[in-house]
Amino acid sequence: MEQKRPAARVQQGFLHGAFILMFGVLLVKAIGALFKIPLSSIITEDGMGYFSTAYSFFNVLFSLSTVGFPVAVARLTAAEDALGHFRDVRQIKAAALPVFSVIGVLCALLMASFAPLYTRLVQSPGALFSMLALAPCAALCSISSVYRGYFEGLRNMLPTARSQVAESLGKLIFGLSGAIFVMHMGTRELQASGTVFGCTVKSEADGCQLVCALGAAAAILGVTLGAVLGLLTLVFQSRRDGVTKAMLQRAPKPKSKRIWAGKLLRTALPISLGAVAMSFSGLIDASFLQTRVAYAVQTDPAALVSMYAGAIPKGNLAAPETVPNYLFGCYNMALTLFLLVPSVTQSFGVSALPSVTRAFQTGDSQKLKRTVEAVLRITFLTALPMGVGLSVLAQPAALLIYGARPGTVIVGRVLTTLGAASVFAALCGPLNSILQAMGHVELPVVLTLIGLCVKAVLDYTLAAVPSVNVLGGAVGTLVCYALASVLACIAIRRIAGVKIDFFSTFKKPFLASVCCGVAALLTHKAWCAVLPESRFSALPAVFLGALIYVVFLLIARGICEEDIKALPNGEKITKRLEKYLQKTGG
């Protein structure tokens, strides 16, 4: 009886864990939508420009402190857990907390120190307040990443999902209320006395920009407070990790904290560098799109204005130096929808990492092949219809999310290209997790840097063309992720030593997505031909497209029985489907 693990030990299989994380991510994104959609109206496109500029810099440090660390902790924890070295499992967490906490604090100080210089370089001084408000998040998220990686290595995805939801709720409550308060008080004071919170401004236009900058900072302060809630949730759950005294007593003597700290750093550093490299995509956009669009405004303003006739407010046209920030705000509003797709599929890579690590450690090539194919299949099943839908319904989707406002037209044009890019971006996360789980932690760095070099060239070149401007960032993003994902697929096929049938894995989701996209586009056109286009005209197209996608997959058997069984209550779902198919003759 002592050989059996206690019932209190919570573990999930690959798809079960992925389902939990995906559900958590969807809930987080729903809460995030309740935060960002009203926020764009509260602080306007100008405020979103400052908000996005701060995040572009923060994402580099965020990736350094939150991507490599949990993967390193999860990978080492999974390996030791598979061997029954439960004292080492605990030792890994004990060694990781002080090391990664110090790194997180250093990242926070680095962001606060470089904020003034960075905002001057990107010609967005109003973003300084947002950067200072966001800096503490680097330390908070770094500590949280240790707890998340620890539980993920033990194949328990619930603590991660719970903490993410708590973090998002905190962001929603504190961020929105703070932004509303600051915008209301700042605008009222500006109109009454010509000052903003006691500060004298040169003109009403400058006062409005300052109010938007402070409103964005208040919203970001809510993000920091949300990170505090997420960390507290993880600390509370860490007392119940399922590792019992009996399991610790029969485990061998653990390695020292110093040894584990060295292993964690050696594992985390290449992964973090890869994540930092990928986060440079946003930094490249923040740097090149604003400065090069500013160049386009100076060289041929008429071409850019005519391209977005009626989409750029008169206040921005009267102050041409604010146009690049305004367009960058619109670009990032589209980027918010784009990021929804890879954020959902990232959970597949996180959940698969322990399984891939175990299969690779034990030399089980068949299990490794099945896991890799399952990750790719599920990723494609999820990402393709979402990406196709964003592309074909770009303008209706922008109208649905952000309403009828001048910038919606620009958001829709950017989203047409970013929709296609989201499919490749969605593949990159799981593919990189597979490479890392197989021990090639440095390879994603190389592949990412190749894609980013191409993106930097495209951003710099295209954004300076007045007729292209911020659309150049979308093109650069598409090429970057497409190149990185293709190279990662080739690398996995060679490293794994198993032949993965990519054609059979992708063909059914691809055909189903094409049918979904065509049906959605025709439905929207038919709807608008009968009724005037409104904010909710996209909904019938979305519902019908999704229905056709699911029906096509079921008829073509694009979802494997093993995939369904691996889900929570999968056995019951499988039996019900079998009964239904028997009745219908399927």
Side-chain angles (χ1 to χ4, degrees), residues 83 115 186 262 362 407 468 510:
L83 298 172
T362 58
V468 179
F510 177 76

Side-chain angles (χ1 to χ4, degrees), residues 277 280-281 284 288 445-461 476 479-480 483:
F280 266 102
S281 174
I284 290 170
F288 290 159
V445 183
V446 177
L447 302 182
T448 300
L449 286 175
I450 293 172
L452 286 174
C453 287
V454 176
K455 175 176 172 55
V457 172
L458 291 173
D459 274 22
Y460 186 85
T461 305
V479 175
C480 169
L483 182 60

